Amino acid sequence: KVYDVTGAGDTVLSAVAFGLSKGLSLLDSCIFANICAGIVVGKLGTSVPLWEEIEPINGKWEEYLNIGLWEIQK
């Protein structure tokens, strides 16, 4: 459920930058950012995603987003 979208855009930008700085691909960084923003909008007011909320999803991004396997077409 979405409670408050305040800061969702900031969360996406910072999560993409974080992912890229840690060596993730742009696609994986965007998936990571989507997960982080999804966590943030489920909270009231300005907030941040905590690692304790992100870590259980680590490695299960495709399942969490229900997107199946990614296929990049040329």
Side-chain angles (χ1 to χ4, degrees):
K1 293 194 173 224
V2 174
Y3 291 101
D4 192 343
V5 297
T6 303
D10 295 342
T11 300
V12 168
L13 290 174
S14 61
V16 168
F18 176 77
L20 292 173
S21 75
K22 294 298 181 181
L24 293 177
S25 68
L26 179 58
L27 181 60
D28 284 342
S29 295
C30 290
I31 294 169
F32 176 73
N34 191 25
I35 290 168
C36 291
I39 292 168
V40 168
V41 299
K43 300 178 181 184
L44 291 175
T46 304
S47 61
V48 297
L50 302 174
W51 184 249
E52 293 80 26
E53 298 168 309
I54 299 167
E55 200 276 328
I57 303 167
N58 190 27
K60 301 177 185 174
W61 298 353
E62 292 173 349
E63 178 183 329
Y64 178 77
L65 294 174
N66 194 26
I67 55 176
L69 297 175
W70 283 100
E71 293 184 26
I72 302 174
Q73 298 180 3
K74 294 181 179 182

